[in-house]
Structures are given as C-alpha cells and as structure tokens.
Amino acid sequence: MNIVITGSLGNISKPLADELISKKHSVTIISSRAERRQAIEALGAKAAIGTIQDPDFLTAVFKEADIVYLMEAWEGIGNIFDKNADFVAAFTRVGNNYKQAVKSSGVRQVVHLSSIGAHTNEGIGSLYLHNTVETILNQLPETVSIKFMRPVGFYTNLYRYVASIKTQSAIIQTYGGDQKEPWVSPLDIAAVIAQEMEKPFIGRSVHYVASDEVSPNEIASTLGEAIGLPELKWQVIPRELMLQQMLDAGMNDWIANGMVQMQAAQQSGSLYDDYYRNKPVLGKVKLADFAKEFALTYHK
C-alpha cells in the first residue's frame, strides 16, 4: 500500500516507517525540515517537505495514499514556555487542516494518533484537545474510515524528571502512591498501528494502546534500581504549589493549569474510565525494559 506518515522521524513515526517498509509498503514521510530529507530517504521512504499548517500541501501529498497516519505533536504546535501560545486554536486549526486535506484528496482510510482522555472534553486538563481533533475528524463523510489510536502516558515522559532526580532524589508530582496506572512505549504504539493498517477499515473505531500497568511508587523503585539510586522516591506535593512552581518557571498558564488538572484526573482514576472499559492487550515493552534505556540516558 501507499502510506503517508506525519510526525517526521519522531519516536513513533520512525519505528512505524521502519515496520511498514520492512513489510514492503511504500511510505511517504511528511517533515517540515528539509534537512531531514536525507535521513528519511535512507530509511527507504519518500520525503515530503512541507507543513501540516498548509492544507493544500497535505491534500497534494494525500492524493495517492491508501492510508494516511495523522498526529499532532505538542512540541511541534507550540512551546509550552511561550506565554502567548494558543494551543486550543492551534490544535483546532491542525484538525481542520487534516479534515480538509482528507476530504479534498479522496483518501478513504485514516489512522489518527489521539490520546488517553479523548473520550471526553471535560475534567482531564489539556488532554481534552485530543477530543477536539477527534470530533473534527468525525465530521468527515462516512465513506472515510478512521481508526483512532489512544495511547496512554508515554514512558518517555519520565525523562522530564531527570533534573529533580539528580538534585532532590525524587520524582515530584501532585499525585502518587500504590494505585496502578497504564504506561506505554512508543515502540508498542508503532507496532499496534502497523498491525491495524493491515487489518480492514470499517467505519470509525477506537483502539487503546498500553505496555504495562504500574504505580508511581513502583516507577520510582524500578528507575531508582536501574540508575543506582535506591533511595529514589515519588514525592507528592500540593497542587497549588506545583502550579506556582510551573508558572514561576515561565510555563504557559493554560498548559500549567491543564497539567495540574490532568494529574487530578490521574489521581481519581477518571482519566482511565474509558480505557478500563475497553482495555487492550498489553504490549511487549515493560517498565523494567524502559528503565534500562532510562539509565543509559540518565548517566550520559
């Protein structure tokens, strides 16, 4: 098949492209950076240099595709330390660009990388923007089949805590304890998407993706053992203090408030209500596997 991938050479798009190319599919990778062309072509893919902010460019690239893979990367849409960034407007714009390009190009099969939390538009902080984009894409004609992929929290998000681990021997959040929650490896996300692309597309469907289910305390214990810091703790602080610290660090107000709200939904478990109603088979990459990768990065 001819498959178009957004997300350049990101931590999902690259392994997804590798998998699809190994299965003899023709892959085109969209990237906004011309300097990525050589690396994309080295994989055996075609490079389409342009931006997801340009629906005419997207339409042209999508025209020969059997399947398009659509994603919105937070870091590609706005800087979380830009006080003036409007993430609501930006996500809405990208969603509408995708809708226009899919409709205009005539492509009939779409895989959309959404997120945990996309089942609702309230009570989950900034994650509700994934619900916004799903809603926009659901406005496409019924002749377009869409598979909405909803991964849970990425293991790679744990890299954000390297600084506090090194300075305070702690991962600091507004929730914690022994209640398990799902986590996922980008490699497992790529594997599931590749599998779904080769299965029939029928109407609209939702697919959750997870690798392991572990508690905050288990994460601290596992990472601490891997990096040689057995005293590593998952420390819980008040939400008001966390919010003030993020704002003092210069974080965008909307993002900071959204992160605190999201952690409240993690603590209550409401973020995972729909996940547990539609629980997937867990992937191959467990926390212990990721901890080895984390240790290598931590000690660099």
Side-chain angles (χ1 to χ4, degrees):
M1 293 182 289
N2 293 321
I3 300 173
V4 174
I5 294 176
T6 56
S8 191
L9 295 176
N11 58 5
I12 297 172
S13 296
K14 184 178 183 298
L16 174 59
D18 284 335
E19 179 75 9
L20 294 173
I21 291 166
S22 74
K23 294 181 175 181
K24 309 303 181 186
H25 297 294
S26 175
V27 175
T28 298
I29 299 176
I30 291 176
S31 178
S32 61
R33 295 168 58 183
E35 62 268 26
R36 288 280 175 87
R37 181 184 296 277
Q38 186 174 353
I40 290 170
E41 292 175 348
L43 294 178
K46 301 172 186 175
I49 305 303
T51 173
I52 61 175
Q53 306 295 344
D54 182 350
D56 293 332
F57 162 75
L58 291 174
T59 299
V61 178
F62 291 177
K63 274 193 173 174
E64 302 302 319
D66 296 302
I67 301 173
V68 294
Y69 164 70
L70 309 178
M71 68 167 295
E72 308 84 47
W74 287 85
E75 61 274 14
I77 285 180
N79 188 322
I80 64 171
F81 289 97
D82 179 355
K83 290 285 191 179
N84 297 314
D86 187 338
F87 288 88
V88 178
F91 268 75
T92 302
R93 184 166 55 249
V94 170
N96 281 312
N97 288 346
Y98 282 154
K99 182 180 75 169
Q100 179 181 333
V102 168
K103 189 173 182 180
S104 299
S105 67
V107 67
R108 290 290 180 261
Q109 298 181 128
V110 174
V111 175
H112 174 238
L113 183 71
S114 186
S115 171
I116 187 75
H119 67 289
T120 183
N121 63 358
E122 56 186 21
I124 55 167
S126 48
L127 287 178
Y128 85 86
L129 288 183
H130 295 287
N131 173 274
T132 299
V133 179
E134 283 196 17
T135 299
I136 291 169
L137 293 178
N138 270 321
Q139 295 166 4
L140 283 162
E142 291 183 4
T143 51
V144 179
S145 295
I146 309 175
K147 294 187 178 187
F148 293 105
M149 315 304 296
R150 292 182 184 169
V152 296
F154 290 21
Y155 290 138
T156 46
N157 290 342
L158 295 168
Y159 286 124
R160 299 172 183 169
Y161 309 119
V162 167
S164 68
I165 292 172
K166 289 188 173 182
T167 58
Q168 301 178 61
S169 297
I171 296 171
I172 303 172
Q173 291 282 42
T174 62
Y175 78 104
D178 295 315
Q179 181 173 304
K180 293 182 183 293
E181 61 179 342
W183 289 79
V184 72
S185 165
L187 298 178
D188 281 334
I189 300 172
V192 170
I193 291 173
Q195 291 167 7
E196 286 298 329
M197 284 181 170
E198 293 190 323
K199 294 178 182 179
F201 280 69
I202 303 171
R204 311 284 159 88
S205 58
V206 170
H207 308 262
Y208 284 94
V209 191
S211 301
D212 206 352
E213 293 179 356
V214 292
S215 71
N217 287 341
E218 287 175 311
I219 290 173
S221 175
T222 302
L223 294 186
E225 181 180 351
I227 64 177
L229 190 68
E231 66 271 25
L232 178 62
K233 300 296 181 187
W234 186 291
Q235 180 182 341
V236 179
I237 64 173
R239 292 172 195 163
E240 297 78 10
L241 177 58
M242 174 68 81
L243 177 60
Q244 194 58 54
Q245 288 178 351
M246 289 190 289
L247 294 176
D248 289 346
M251 189 175 287
N252 177 285
D253 290 26
W254 186 86
I255 289 288
N257 279 281
M259 289 182 70
V260 171
Q261 292 163 13
M262 180 189 71
Q263 288 181 21
Q266 288 176 275
Q267 183 176 35
S268 71
S270 63
L271 179 61
Y272 304 116
D273 286 346
D274 194 63
Y275 165 86
Y276 284 115
R277 284 194 290 265
N278 302 279
K279 186 176 175 180
V281 175
L282 296 180
K284 296 179 180 179
V285 185
K286 303 305 177 185
L287 176 64
D289 302 312
F290 171 74
K292 297 172 185 175
E293 175 191 321
F294 184 91
L296 292 174
T297 300
Y298 181 85
H299 289 300
K300 275 185 181 178

